[in-house]
Amino acid sequence: MGIGIVFVAVVIGVCNWIVIRSAKGRTYDEIDAVPYHKVGVVLGTVPYLPNGRENFYFNSRMKAAADLYFAHKISYILASGDNHRRNYNEPESMRKALLALGVPDSAIVLDYAGFRTFDSMIRAKKVFGQDSFIVISQHWHNERAIFIARHHDMDVVGYDAKDAIVRKAYLKIFVREVLAKVKAVYDVCVGKQPKYLGEPVIIP
């Protein structure tokens, strides 16, 4: 049992090291330093928490995407999120939030099948025709997205949205992300494909 625990710990550590190393030098937290790309892919999450409060991570990502647009670092925002249920539509929530921040509707493109980070990255290339773009989320999330993208021949950088400062919330996210990075390495190794692709969508 002891050997098994050590083995699992080593696998988790190695997978996380691989993902973090893959994104090293490819994330930015200062907007002036971000190189221009036509498209910024903002990764979705729930706009409201189960207790009804606004989700800090959602608002932070939308603000970061809008900031990039108004700083002329991107021309289009690809809002990629989950829409697997009729009463749950992350992309539309993202669109409404971006419009409220002043981003014109003509600059917003919706990806309704970004069920998870892996799907969002692969669909950005295979459906929306983008192999070089800025991914927008928190730093720890951008690392995983960049790892996935780079292993599918995409030249991607990340813009880090502000992170939560509540210790309890951050700890929960940290544990989940450690395991998600292991899953990302596994998906790449086994040649995982998105749940749904569909017809190509042209971004002008």
Side-chain angles (χ1 to χ4, degrees):
M1 183 178 293
I3 294 175
I5 292 174
V6 171
F7 176 76
V8 171
V10 169
V11 169
I12 291 174
V14 169
C15 288
N16 275 260
W17 178 81
I18 290 171
V19 172
I20 292 170
R21 184 174 182 272
S22 178
K24 187 175 181 180
R26 289 179 169 267
T27 60
Y28 299 85
D29 56 14
E30 295 292 338
I31 202 164
D32 291 340
V34 181
Y36 172 82
H37 288 71
K38 184 174 78 171
V39 174
V41 178
V42 58
L43 300 177
T45 185
V46 292
Y48 294 96
L49 301 174
N51 60 13
R53 293 181 180 178
E54 292 185 351
N55 184 356
F56 172 87
Y57 292 105
F58 177 91
N59 291 339
S60 177
R61 294 177 196 182
M62 299 310 109
K63 175 69 163 52
D67 287 347
L68 284 173
Y69 177 80
F70 289 116
H72 306 291
K73 297 295 184 176
I74 54 176
S75 298
Y76 293 91
I77 297 173
L78 175 57
S80 183
D82 191 347
N83 178 219
H84 72 284
R85 301 192 309 269
R86 289 185 178 180
N87 62 342
Y88 184 74
N89 195 327
E90 285 181 0
E92 284 294 344
S93 296
M94 296 161 79
R95 175 179 171 273
K96 290 177 182 178
L98 291 167
L99 290 174
L101 289 169
V103 178
D105 198 30
S106 59
I108 303 171
V109 181
L110 302 184
D111 175 12
Y112 292 99
F115 302 121
R116 60 195 189 104
T117 306
F118 185 89
D119 295 54
S120 294
M121 292 297 96
I122 307 306
R123 284 175 54 81
K125 179 179 180 180
K126 293 190 175 182
V127 175
F128 295 91
Q130 306 303 308
D131 56 12
S132 180
F133 53 87
I134 302 172
V135 60
I136 306 159
S137 189
Q138 279 68 36
H139 178 75
W140 40 265
H141 196 186
N142 282 340
E143 289 177 330
R144 178 157 48 97
I146 291 170
F147 166 77
I148 295 167
R150 292 192 67 191
H151 279 77
H152 289 83
D153 300 318
M154 287 177 264
D155 182 17
V156 175
V157 299
Y159 180 58
D160 297 339
K162 288 185 178 180
D163 211 340
I165 58 174
V166 179
R167 185 173 298 177
K168 183 178 179 181
Y170 187 81
L171 179 61
K172 181 179 178 180
I173 290 291
F174 174 79
V175 172
R176 187 171 66 184
E177 184 60 28
V178 165
L179 298 178
K181 283 181 168 66
V182 176
K183 183 65 164 59
V185 173
Y186 173 80
D187 287 342
V188 166
C189 289
V190 301
K192 185 78 172 180
Q193 293 299 313
K195 183 177 180 180
Y196 179 74
L197 286 174
E199 297 298 319
V201 176
I202 304 299
I203 298 179

